[in-house]
Amino acid sequence: MKLRGVARGLIKHRVGNERQTLLWYDNWNPFGPLSEKFGSSLIVETALQENTKVDTIIQHRQWYWPDLKPTVNSFDLCSVKDCLNLLSPPNDVDD
């Protein structure tokens, strides 16, 4: 049990099927699980559900955050968006 946190950092979730990869809780991006890095405030801020999958933020093979309030532009969210813009979204997403 004590090694769970260490092991979690060593395991990456390859986004082969973004419909099964949890946006907030799986280790699929350079930050690691977004919920661990940024806490639940980012989930609340984006108004996306806790069980949101990665495919929700991909549209036409581009990273896309669905209709966020104009006031939602926190430093944490900007950091996530900037980081993802450096990554290529998975290619097998249906448009």
Side-chain angles (χ1 to χ4, degrees), residues 2-94:
K2 291 180 182 180
L3 296 177
R4 182 179 291 177
V6 174
R8 184 178 296 157
L10 300 174
I11 298 170
K12 289 284 184 194
H13 195 286
R14 185 169 180 263
V15 184
N17 185 344
E18 61 287 334
R19 289 180 190 92
Q20 294 178 356
T21 303
L22 292 170
L23 175 64
W24 306 115
Y25 299 105
D26 286 333
N27 191 15
W28 63 272
N29 69 83
F31 284 124
L34 296 175
S35 63
E36 289 180 17
K37 173 74 176 172
F38 300 105
S40 61
S41 62
L42 187 60
I43 299 170
V44 171
E45 184 178 346
T46 62
L48 296 173
Q49 300 295 314
E50 285 194 50
N51 63 349
T52 297
K53 306 293 193 288
V54 172
D55 71 326
T56 303
I57 61 164
I58 301 171
Q59 192 173 85
H60 304 293
R61 292 182 169 69
Q62 299 290 319
W63 296 111
Y64 169 81
W65 289 85
D67 301 325
L68 299 175
K69 297 179 231 169
T71 57
V72 175
N73 205 15
S74 73
F75 179 77
D76 289 344
L77 183 56
C78 289
S79 296
V80 171
K81 288 179 176 182
D82 289 346
C83 179
L84 292 182
N85 284 333
L86 298 175
L87 302 175
S88 297
N91 290 325
D92 62 339
V93 179
D94 292 332

